[in-house]
Amino acid sequence: NNNNNNNNNNTEGFVRGTVLIDAQGFVDGIGPMSFLPAPLARAGIKVLQSVPLRNSANQMSYYNPETYATEDALKVGRLHCLRDGWEDGMLSFMQSGGFRPKEKVSQIDVPSLVLWGRQDGILEGKEFAQKFIDAMPNAELQWVEECGHVPHLEQPELTARYIADFLESDKMTPLGKSASVNPLFGNLLSFLN
């Protein structure tokens, strides 16, 4: 079939670019926790839901915890843990051994922006951000200064600006198209100004 041959020869995919924000892509699996008996694993899951653990993560997530690690941020950070089915899903995830993204990162060959909060207290940027740059052939790193693990929350305007600049760059211009600003991005930019 001619169509199948054309599809097999087409090297362009649907994804034209990626933006990764303080991403976790180099820690495979969950280690020995995958071998815990279900009752012990469920006890561990209860710890993951706990206010003290979530509060600690909340404090570590921000460069400026006094401003951003609020009671509301803690509630939002726990929301997913309190949903129906989360405990069973987490148990299944633990028993599966977790996900293994490390080998797949180098397969991302589209233009990519790696945004990283310079003061990330969850994933050390000097180690992890550089791994993305080393593994991905078309990646560029943009540090977000005075920012922890969640640039989109702690520095939203700057983060949006970096993303918009990347999306409007020559790297993201489709073949045969002009580099004019997409109205969506133009509206975003006018909102930020």
Side-chain angles (χ1 to χ4, degrees), residues 1-2 7 36 39 53 55 101 123 146 159-160 170 190:
N1 181 331
N2 228 5
N7 288 339
L36 288 176
L53 183 89
N55 189 48
L123 293 171
E146 297 184 2
T159 300
D170 290 342
S190 65

Side-chain angles (χ1 to χ4, degrees), residues 12 16 167-180:
E12 291 185 38
R16 291 188 25 237
L167 294 175
E168 293 175 2
S169 72
D170 290 342
K171 293 177 183 183
M172 296 304 296
T173 303
L175 294 174
K177 303 273 183 167
S178 71
S180 63

Side-chain angles (χ1 to χ4, degrees), residues 87-165:
E87 289 183 30
D88 291 336
M90 191 64 187
L91 178 63
S92 177
F93 174 76
M94 289 173 71
Q95 291 174 334
S96 77
F99 57 87
R100 303 191 176 286
K102 190 183 332 181
E103 293 177 13
K104 293 180 173 38
V105 172
S106 63
Q107 296 172 22
I108 302 171
D109 61 356
V110 295
S112 300
L113 174 63
V114 178
L115 283 172
W116 216 277
R118 179 79 73 177
Q119 291 79 22
D120 186 338
I122 305 291
L123 293 171
E124 170 54 48
K126 287 181 184 173
E127 176 186 354
F128 289 102
Q130 191 58 50
K131 285 183 178 184
F132 281 103
I133 300 307
D134 293 343
M136 297 165 56
N138 293 311
E140 64 183 72
L141 173 61
Q142 177 63 62
W143 292 105
V144 182
E145 301 297 336
E146 297 184 2
C147 189
H149 185 65
V150 284
H152 53 291
L153 299 178
E154 197 165 18
Q155 297 283 1
E157 293 86 8
L158 187 57
T159 300
R161 166 57 64 193
Y162 289 145
I163 293 170
D165 288 350

Side-chain angles (χ1 to χ4, degrees), residues 1-60:
N1 181 331
N2 228 5
N3 286 341
N4 285 342
N5 290 339
N6 288 341
N7 288 339
N8 289 340
N9 293 330
N10 185 358
T11 59
E12 291 185 38
F14 291 105
V15 177
R16 291 188 25 237
T18 61
V19 176
L20 304 172
I21 302 178
D22 290 71
Q24 190 298 95
F26 292 98
V27 179
D28 282 349
I30 60 168
M33 289 191 303
S34 63
F35 301 109
L36 288 176
L40 284 177
R42 284 195 184 278
I45 290 167
K46 289 291 187 191
V47 172
L48 287 175
Q49 291 175 315
S50 72
V51 170
L53 183 89
R54 289 290 160 181
N55 189 48
S56 177
N58 195 26
Q59 295 294 318
M60 292 171 56

